[in-house]
């Protein structure tokens, strides 16, 4: 496997790349991650089974459009490939550390600039992609309430039901979500889509975001997720507000948007997130828990 990766990377670089350094990195719950290098360059490689190539393909395209926006630093793609029973994504390698207060303020400003970038009139994306390893539908819609209710909450509830995880009548919950958002029609913003603190870091060239699940949606979805698992300094929100202040009603919509990620965690990791999802649904739907 490593010989094949070395050969493919040599072709991309136009020079011989012989791996003489390989370090296993902490890469989350989805992929195997490594730093590989020769005497000249080091690269970050994400590795998974060959049938997961589509996940890497959509990640590569998400990185491409985020890089095109040129508002916040993202990893640079070098190669996407397969070998025998594996697929892999090769990116530039940058040593990282945790975001500090100064970097947090800058990242907040950059995220706001990203959310202001581009002129899109619909919500969605040119193709479906993935949130973790969960398929994420992105069919274009003019109305945000329909897009989020049907392609985020209803979709996740259906996936949960297929695994025996039930939260109530799916049609009723979906209709209620749409009703809650019916008077909210935001400007479509290019989103990172999976913006928890584990997908951000500080490099020598400033803050960086990675592992995107990009689509055009309500910018509040990105901001809400930064609050879901914590880890962002207060300076991040000050930086964001200094460029693109949040609209009235964000606090009421925040839990609704984060329900999508909690349901996805139910699908990815099992029922330990059931209680949290049930609590949010009960509060949002005004049901008894």
């Amino acid at each position: 496997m490593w010989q094949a990766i070395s050969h493919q990377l040599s072709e991309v670089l136009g020079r011989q790349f012989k791996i003489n350094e390989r370090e296993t990195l902490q890469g989350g719950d989805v992929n195997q991650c490594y730093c590989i290098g020769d005497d000249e360059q080091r690269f970050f490689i994400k590795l998974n089974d060959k049938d997961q190539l589509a996940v890497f393909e959509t990640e590569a395209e998400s990185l491409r459009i985020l890089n095109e926006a040129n508002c916040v630093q993202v990893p640079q793609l070098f190669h996407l490939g397969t070998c025998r029973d594996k697929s892999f994504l090769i990116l530039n390698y940058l040593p990282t550390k945790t975001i500090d207060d100064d970097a947090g303020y800058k990242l907040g400003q950059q995220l706001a600039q990203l959310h202001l970038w581009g002129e899109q009139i619909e919500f969605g994306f040119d193709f479906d992609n993935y949130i973790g390893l969960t398929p994420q539908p992105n069919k274009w819609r003019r109305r945000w309430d329909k897009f989020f209710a049907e392609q985020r909450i209803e979709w996740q509830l259906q996936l949960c039901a297929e695994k025996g995880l039930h939260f109530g009548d799916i049609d009723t919950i979906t209709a209620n979500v749409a009703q809650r958002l019916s008077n909210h029609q935001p400007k479509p913003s290019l989103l990172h889509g999976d913006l928890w603190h584990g997908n951000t870091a500080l490099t020598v060239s400033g803050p960086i975001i990675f592992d995107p699940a990009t689509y055009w949606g309500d910018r509040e979805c990105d901001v809400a997720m930064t609050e879901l698992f914590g880890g962002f300094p207060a300076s991040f929100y000050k930086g964001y507000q200094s460029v693109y202040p949040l609209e009235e009603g964000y606090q009421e919509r925040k839990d609704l948007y984060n329900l999508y990620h909690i349901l996805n965690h139910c699908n990815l990791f099992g029922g330990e997130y059931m209680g949290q999802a049930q609590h949010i649904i009960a509060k949002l739907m005004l049901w008894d828990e």
Side-chain angles (χ1 to χ4, degrees):
M1 178 186 72
W2 293 111
Q3 184 176 358
I5 290 173
S6 178
H7 175 72
Q8 292 183 37
L9 195 49
S10 295
E11 291 187 339
V12 171
L13 297 174
R15 66 173 182 83
Q16 185 178 13
F17 181 86
K18 185 177 180 180
I19 300 173
N20 59 23
E21 173 189 2
R22 186 173 78 239
E23 177 186 358
T24 303
L25 302 175
Q26 189 70 27
D29 302 295
V30 175
N31 303 297
Q32 296 172 275
C33 299
Y34 299 89
C35 172
I36 60 173
D38 64 359
D39 294 328
E40 295 186 40
Q41 284 179 277
R42 303 167 85 191
F43 297 94
F44 180 81
I45 181 166
K46 302 172 72 170
L47 192 69
N48 213 312
D49 295 336
K50 196 170 186 176
D51 62 5
Q52 299 300 320
L53 177 62
V55 179
F56 289 149
E57 289 175 334
T58 60
E59 179 177 346
E61 181 61 18
S62 292
L63 291 172
R64 183 199 65 77
I65 191 170
L66 288 169
N67 187 63
E68 178 184 322
N70 196 31
C71 296
V72 57
Q73 182 180 197
V74 296
Q76 300 301 300
L77 174 67
F78 275 85
H79 184 55
L80 173 69
T82 61
C83 56
R84 300 187 75 176
D85 61 344
K86 297 293 183 181
S87 60
F88 55 89
L89 189 68
I90 300 179
L91 310 167
N92 63 320
Y93 175 78
L94 290 170
T96 61
K97 60 182 180 180
T98 303
I99 295 282
D100 58 23
D101 285 343
D102 289 342
Y105 188 87
K106 185 175 182 180
L107 179 59
Q109 291 183 313
Q110 292 174 341
L111 182 69
Q113 290 161 358
L114 174 67
H115 290 163
L116 285 166
W117 178 83
E119 295 296 332
Q120 177 56 250
I121 62 172
E122 295 188 330
F123 302 95
F125 211 38
D126 284 338
F127 53 85
D128 296 340
N129 51 20
Y130 295 83
I131 180 82
L133 290 178
T134 306
Q136 178 171 266
N138 293 312
K139 187 174 181 180
W140 292 106
R141 288 283 185 269
R142 283 295 185 108
R143 289 202 55 83
W144 171 244
D145 55 347
K146 295 292 187 182
F147 176 89
F148 186 79
E150 295 170 3
Q151 297 190 64
R152 292 299 179 259
I153 302 304
E154 182 179 29
W155 171 252
Q156 288 286 348
L157 289 171
Q158 289 172 343
L159 294 178
C160 283
E162 291 172 6
K163 296 181 179 181
L165 305 175
H166 299 282
F167 298 92
D169 181 74
I170 293 176
D171 290 341
T172 300
I173 297 173
T174 302
N176 204 325
V177 170
Q179 191 277 327
R180 291 294 181 103
L181 295 173
S182 61
N183 294 322
H184 181 61
Q185 181 70 358
K187 169 191 177 295
S189 293
L190 185 64
L191 307 184
H192 175 281
D194 194 9
L195 197 60
W196 69 293
H197 69 87
N199 287 342
T200 70
L202 177 60
T203 74
V204 292
S205 51
I208 189 170
I209 58 176
F210 42 87
D211 293 351
T214 303
Y215 64 100
W216 293 87
D218 184 359
R219 65 191 179 110
E220 292 178 358
C221 291
D222 268 354
V223 179
M225 193 180 186
T226 67
E227 298 192 59
L228 180 57
F229 302 116
F232 284 76
S235 60
F236 167 83
Y237 303 99
K238 292 178 181 177
Y240 190 95
Q241 292 284 88
S242 73
V243 174
Y244 195 4
L246 291 168
E247 296 179 7
E248 184 179 353
Y250 162 72
Q251 292 297 328
E252 287 70 43
R253 292 184 289 269
K254 179 175 67 176
D255 284 348
L256 179 58
Y257 289 158
N258 282 337
L259 176 60
Y260 173 60
H261 299 290
I262 295 299
L263 290 172
N264 186 51
H265 276 62
C266 289
N267 278 306
L268 287 174
F269 307 120
E272 61 262 38
Y273 291 92
M274 281 282 292
Q276 193 173 358
Q278 288 168 335
H279 173 73
I280 294 174
I281 289 172
K283 184 170 71 170
L284 292 169
M285 306 306 146
L286 303 179
W287 292 346
D288 292 328
E289 293 188 65

